[in-house]
Amino acid sequence: NKFSPRGGSSFHHNNDDNWKLEKHMPPTLGDVDRGIQSYERQHYIQQKPKPITQAIREYFIRLHRASPALYYATISSILIFIASQIPSRQLTMFLQNHFINSRRNLLRGRYHTVLTSALNHSTFMHLALNLYGFHIFGKSVVPILSRSGISLSLYCVLGGIFSNLFFSTVHPLGSCLGLSGVTLSLLALDARLNPGKIIGFVIRFVPIQCPAQYALTGLLVWSSFMTLMMMNGGGGDGVAHATHLGGLLWGIAVYEMISRGVWNSVFRRNWNMILKKLKW
């Protein structure tokens, strides 16, 4: 580059000198930060992972601190699933009598099964998917439930009972088990609280991402359609869609009660009186 000031003199600026000047300039804060991040990333990659037992133990410690309800429901579901894999006729009969929601059990006075059946799962994948959603959406809604004076354990207990009673009403001759009613109720509540939140699904190995409100609408439509199909004698696919629908409706109902102030003005204010009447 050539610079000619008024007066006729000239000044030549050498690009090589400019390169040398830039080369010896002190690093900026951004350069230092990128260098630290690069070093930490490389160090993390080269570092050996924790033993799997330690990682599992630390996860459950954090889970218990985040929410005892999530912790104890998870432990109970895992233990019941392990018990269901033991080849024992007496144990199998015990689980069928006390951990499956069915007309047979309700007619015999085993009313606790509308709740305990939520802790029973048929396959490992059934257990894993339910617990994954249970943890993700459960942790997400804990703050708003706490501010409204609703414990997560109370929410899940009532959600499990409602979704299973909804199934028994729609399919009086059917039976169901699993945590999906509670998990989908948590999803519905989280979707109403955070409608723009991006939720990821995997459907037949195809990853799908969409806003939470779209996911809730799709699940409501699908669960309602399949429930009506099965009520009208359509072929079932082995999925308790009525339980899913009941869970979704419970989550939406709780959101409406919280947002409209019904929970605080009616239930929370008169909670002790309600408990006494229920006990009576």
Side-chain angles (χ1 to χ4, degrees):
N1 295 331
K2 185 175 181 179
F3 173 70
S4 299
R6 190 175 301 174
S9 63
S10 63
F11 172 76
H12 295 276
H13 182 72
N14 195 327
N15 287 332
D16 292 337
D17 293 336
N18 186 45
W19 177 83
K20 291 178 182 178
L21 179 62
E22 292 179 355
K23 181 178 181 182
H24 293 287
M25 288 179 63
T28 64
L29 291 176
D31 295 333
V32 173
D33 186 54
R34 284 190 293 272
I36 292 174
Q37 291 180 358
S38 176
Y39 170 79
E40 290 178 345
R41 186 161 51 249
Q42 186 66 24
H43 178 71
Y44 178 79
I45 293 173
Q46 294 176 350
Q47 189 179 14
K48 290 184 179 180
K50 298 176 183 178
I52 186 65
T53 54
Q54 179 184 348
I56 293 175
R57 184 171 63 254
E58 291 179 354
Y59 175 79
F60 277 100
I61 290 174
R62 292 194 302 271
L63 184 64
H64 185 271
R65 290 173 181 171
S67 171
L70 290 175
Y71 174 82
Y72 288 113
T74 299
I75 294 296
S76 299
S77 296
I78 293 174
L79 292 178
I80 292 172
F81 178 75
I82 293 174
S84 69
Q85 305 306 303
I86 299 175
S88 168
R89 186 173 182 276
Q90 290 79 6
L91 185 56
T92 300
M93 289 299 300
F94 175 81
L95 293 176
Q96 289 179 352
N97 290 337
H98 298 284
F99 290 91
I100 291 181
N101 177 39
S102 65
R103 176 183 174 86
R104 171 178 170 272
N105 282 333
L106 293 177
L107 289 177
R108 297 190 177 187
R110 300 168 186 151
Y111 304 118
H112 56 279
T113 54
V114 297
L115 176 62
T116 57
S117 59
L119 302 173
N120 192 10
H121 294 83
S122 56
T123 65
F124 176 77
M125 187 59 65
H126 186 206
L127 172 70
L129 290 176
N130 276 338
L131 289 183
Y132 177 76
F134 185 58
H135 290 183
I136 295 297
F137 301 114
K139 291 178 182 178
S140 180
V141 303
V142 162
I144 186 64
L145 289 177
S146 298
R147 287 197 296 270
S148 302
I150 308 173
S151 67
L152 183 63
S153 57
L154 175 63
Y155 175 91
C156 292
V157 166
L158 295 179
I161 292 173
F162 180 85
S163 58
N164 281 320
L165 286 179
F166 187 86
F167 173 90
S168 297
T169 302
V170 174
H171 303 299
L173 300 180
S175 62
C176 67
L177 71 165
L179 201 61
S180 54
V182 176
T183 297
L184 288 177
S185 76
L186 292 169
L187 181 152
L189 177 58
D190 190 37
R192 294 305 303 272
L193 292 169
N194 308 289
K197 179 180 179 180
I198 300 300
I199 296 181
F201 293 91
V202 177
I203 302 178
R204 297 186 182 276
F205 302 102
V206 178
I208 297 174
Q209 288 188 337
C210 64
Q213 185 60 47
Y214 293 175
L216 175 58
T217 302
L219 286 169
L220 275 171
V221 171
W222 178 250
S223 298
S224 300
F225 173 75
M226 291 302 296
T227 298
L228 291 173
M229 285 286 291
M230 295 179 70
M231 289 177 63
N232 293 324
D237 56 359
V239 177
H241 294 283
T243 307
H244 295 177
L245 181 58
L248 294 170
L249 295 176
W250 171 252
I252 294 172
V254 171
Y255 170 80
E256 294 297 330
M257 286 191 290
I258 292 175
S259 62
R260 298 175 186 271
V262 175
W263 180 267
N264 285 329
S265 62
V266 179
F267 293 99
R268 190 177 182 183
R269 182 178 299 176
N270 302 293
W271 185 243
N272 291 330
M273 184 178 66
I274 294 172
L275 289 179
K276 288 180 181 179
K277 288 186 176 181
L278 289 176
K279 186 177 181 180
W280 169 257

